[in-house]
Amino acid sequence: MKTEAIVREKASMEVEQPPAAGGGGGFNNGNQSSEEQKFSVPVDSENKATEFRLFSISKPHMRAFHLSWISFFSCFVSSFAAPPLLPIIRDNLNLTATDIGNAGVASVSGAVFARVAMGTACDLVGPRLASASLIFLTAPAVYFTSVINSATSYLLVRFFTGFSLATFVSTQFWMSSMFSPPVVGRANGFAGGWGNLGGGATQLIMPLVFSLIRDIGAAQFTAWRIAFFVPAFFQMLTAFSILIFGQDMPDGNFQRLKKSGEKPKDEFSKVLFHGVSNYRGWILALTYGYCFGVELTIDNIIAEYFYDRFNLKLHTAGIIAASFGLANLFSRPGGGMLSDAVSRRFGMRGRLWALWLCQTFAGVLCIILGLVGSLSVSVVVMIIFSVFVQAACGMTFGIVPFVSRRSLGVISGMTGGGGNVGAVVTQLIFFKGSRFSKERGITLMGVMIIICTLPICLIYFPQWGGMFFGPSSKKVTEEDYYLGEWNSKEQEKGSHHASMKFADNSVSERGRRLNTSTRPADESTPSPTHV
């Protein structure tokens, strides 16, 4: 056990740490320092917000939240702008069912590696620069959609536009850098959920824009091309906003913090190693492939499914399809909030159980959706299914921030990339060509959800436990777990101080039942600096 060494280390950090790093408790202290008052919300020892004020735009915490979800929203709108107009586009370009399936796969496959790369980029240069750069790089593909003239060019623009979905990783990294463990689930849930709203909003926006342009006087096959200028411009506007108004961390941007020595420079190889060698990240990548991956798949197929199966008008099919994505307004944030709520009572074990139950039930609903043949029943089941599958996405990223402190970006990228892998695999197996009808494919996708959710039971944190077993009998602490990512030389340089602070703030993951019973005697009384 390293308990004595850790206690000495914490004591030395408290001596070195000025009162400015005090947590939210400092707001209840009459002798606040001017440094503490620079934030409009209570903060912890890492200056992460301990409250989530949804309707605030205060800098830096809540401003980062709004910039992240709006930019991710714009990328979702761009990436899924084509499906609601597909009945028009396929007639103009003479697309076959195989062409459409291949393009659907392409739209989510590019982001697989882009998300992993984005996670690493966030660890090295920060979420602000990483996300804005990717948005700028992918915007031209959206513009080029207006000039495509073949199945190949259609596939290519969807492939390159889909890279922008990797901004999800920077969104989750940014929120995990700005918000404290007790509220990080809801911050990630709202940012990801409201960003994902773009997948539903585009089902309404693009048919409406198309109709307006056509009614002005443009030919049908010209109107859909002009319509793509709207999401492209919106996407670029959000990138400029991030660069101008955003901030990487509560204390400043990555570059300034590294130059001043406040944020030690880390080695790419070690950041990558500690991410890919953590098996929990791989399990979450798999399970996320069958909640977010399913959501991406539905975004690609649902409008065409209702249009063809129930002989609906394009606008009507778009409205029904939009209801799936628009549920993100409350479903994914609700998943994050529920994850935080069960954590307060049951700790990390509660987060794991909630995720497994929610995602498994989503699988059952997906099976039912493929079996029902009534339009009204299909719409009702689809909406309920959307709530549960999106809530599971929010719950997943209520767990991700605790897997690794040093390699948070890599773990976020692996998990996010897993979502896209799930979408690619699912579409290749069930929705490419005419091997399965769409309703049969939806049913089989539900079976895959249930099966691929089972590995959650294998996730185990020695300091908190897992679904079926409690904390390790070796009395492993949070500091032991996160200190394991740093060797002795790195600790001598002080590179691990941020991990120590995070470990101290993540004690809440023991849950109300275990918070005192599992706490070593040396740590039973918290330091006033961290209250």
Side-chain angles (χ1 to χ4, degrees):
M1 283 295 297
K2 308 171 186 173
T3 303
E4 293 182 4
I6 291 169
V7 171
R8 287 195 299 270
E9 174 67 26
K10 288 176 67 178
S12 67
M13 287 173 60
E14 288 163 8
V15 171
E16 296 171 4
Q17 181 67 39
F27 281 75
N28 298 321
N29 189 335
N31 299 320
Q32 293 173 316
S33 70
S34 60
E35 187 76 11
E36 286 175 324
Q37 296 175 0
K38 73 178 182 181
F39 301 115
S40 61
V41 295
V43 296
D44 62 14
S45 60
E46 294 182 273
N47 285 339
K48 294 181 179 181
T50 57
E51 291 183 5
F52 182 73
R53 299 175 180 176
L54 181 61
F55 300 107
S56 168
I57 56 172
S58 61
K59 184 180 181 180
H61 305 89
M62 296 313 302
R63 184 175 298 180
F65 163 73
H66 290 294
L67 287 171
S68 66
W69 81 257
I70 292 173
S71 61
F72 184 42
F73 177 94
S74 74
C75 294
F76 237 102
V77 169
S78 296
S79 296
F80 293 97
L85 300 181
L86 198 50
I88 310 300
I89 297 174
R90 71 185 179 188
D91 290 342
N92 189 186
L93 303 180
N94 297 315
L95 302 178
T96 65
T98 300
D99 293 331
I100 294 170
N102 288 338
V105 171
S107 69
V108 295
S109 60
V112 172
F113 299 105
R115 287 190 169 204
V116 177
M118 174 62 81
T120 306
C122 287
D123 280 323
L124 298 177
V125 302
R128 173 178 158 271
L129 185 59
S131 60
S133 299
L134 183 61
I135 292 172
F136 278 128
L137 288 171
T138 54
V142 189
Y143 282 114
F144 285 144
T145 306
S146 63
V147 296
I148 59 175
N149 57 11
S150 66
T152 301
S153 56
Y154 175 67
L155 182 147
L156 288 174
V157 293
R158 292 217 65 194
F159 175 72
F160 287 111
T161 301
F163 274 64
S164 65
L165 294 177
T167 51
F168 167 77
V169 175
S170 57
T171 293
Q172 302 298 282
F173 182 98
W174 211 352
M175 295 304 93
S176 299
S177 300
M178 286 289 185
F179 293 91
S180 191
V183 296
V184 72
R186 72 192 67 181
N188 277 334
F190 271 100
W194 283 14
N196 281 5
L197 274 175
T202 196
Q203 304 280 353
L204 297 175
I205 293 171
M206 293 307 291
L208 178 61
V209 172
F210 164 77
S211 298
L212 288 174
I213 296 171
R214 184 192 57 191
D215 293 344
I216 290 173
Q220 180 170 268
F221 288 166
T222 301
W224 75 261
R225 296 175 183 275
I226 299 174
F228 275 86
F229 280 83
V230 174
F233 178 75
F234 180 31
Q235 186 173 318
M236 291 189 67
L237 189 63
T238 63
F240 280 115
S241 299
I242 289 173
L243 290 177
I244 296 170
F245 302 110
Q247 181 173 306
D248 287 313
M249 313 241 338
D251 297 319
N253 290 321
F254 261 46
Q255 289 183 332
R256 185 188 69 79
L257 293 174
K258 287 183 177 180
K259 286 181 179 178
S260 65
E262 296 177 63
K263 180 175 177 57
K265 294 182 179 179
D266 212 339
E267 296 181 34
F268 167 77
S269 59
K270 292 185 177 180
V271 170
L272 185 63
F273 171 77
H274 286 291
V276 300
S277 62
N278 194 317
Y279 79 92
R280 301 167 190 84
W282 291 106
I283 292 178
L284 289 171
L286 171 64
T287 59
Y288 195 62
Y290 282 90
C291 54
F292 182 66
V294 166
E295 184 178 351
L296 291 178
T297 301
I298 292 292
D299 283 336
N300 263 330
I301 69 166
I302 200 66
E304 188 184 15
Y305 169 70
F306 278 101
Y307 179 86
D308 290 334
R309 187 175 187 194
F310 298 105
N311 297 314
L312 302 178
K313 294 181 180 179
L314 178 63
H315 183 65
T316 305
I319 292 175
I320 294 174
S323 64
F324 179 87
L326 291 175
N328 271 298
L329 180 66
F330 60 88
S331 56
R332 184 164 185 151
M337 294 174 70
L338 181 60
S339 182
D340 286 341
V342 297
S343 171
R344 284 193 290 273
R345 174 67 176 171
F346 302 105
M348 178 55 68
R349 300 181 69 185
R351 291 187 191 268
L352 293 170
W353 270 106
L355 173 57
W356 179 79
L357 288 170
C358 183
Q359 192 159 319
T360 299
F361 188 59
V364 173
L365 290 169
C366 188
I367 292 173
I368 296 172
L369 177 62
L371 295 176
V372 296
S374 163
L375 174 61
S376 57
V377 176
S378 292
V379 172
V380 171
V381 173
M382 183 198 70
I383 292 174
I384 300 174
F385 165 55
S386 71
V387 171
F388 279 88
V389 78
Q390 291 160 8
C393 295
M395 291 178 182
T396 300
F397 275 84
I399 298 170
V400 165
F402 300 98
V403 174
S404 171
R405 175 61 178 81
R406 184 176 189 178
S407 303
L408 171 62
V410 175
I411 296 295
S412 298
M414 288 167 55
T415 306
N420 285 73
V421 170
V424 170
V425 171
T426 301
Q427 290 181 69
L428 282 175
I429 296 175
F430 303 127
F431 301 105
K432 180 184 177 183
S434 55
R435 181 182 179 186
F436 296 106
S437 64
K438 281 193 171 59
E439 51 267 34
R440 178 64 172 167
I442 290 172
T443 297
L444 294 175
M445 183 168 65
V447 176
M448 288 287 286
I449 293 173
I450 295 173
I451 294 173
C452 292
T453 302
L454 291 173
I456 292 174
C457 68
L458 300 177
I459 295 178
Y460 182 82
F461 292 89
Q463 71 275 36
W464 301 316
M467 284 179 61
F468 300 109
F469 301 99
S472 171
S473 59
K474 297 180 180 179
K475 300 292 184 183
V476 177
T477 65
E478 290 78 8
E479 288 86 353
D480 292 324
Y481 179 80
Y482 293 110
L483 200 60
E485 297 182 316
W486 304 91
N487 60 37
S488 57
K489 290 184 179 180
E490 291 168 331
Q491 291 177 38
E492 289 174 5
K493 294 178 181 178
S495 302
H496 66 303
H497 282 180
S499 293
M500 293 290 287
K501 290 179 184 179
F502 182 78
D504 194 46
N505 292 322
S506 64
V507 167
S508 59
E509 292 307 304
R510 297 174 179 180
R512 194 174 298 166
R513 289 182 173 182
L514 301 174
N515 202 24
T516 55
S517 63
T518 65
R519 194 174 180 88
D522 302 89
E523 302 180 80
S524 58
T525 304
S527 164
T529 305
H530 294 175
V531 171

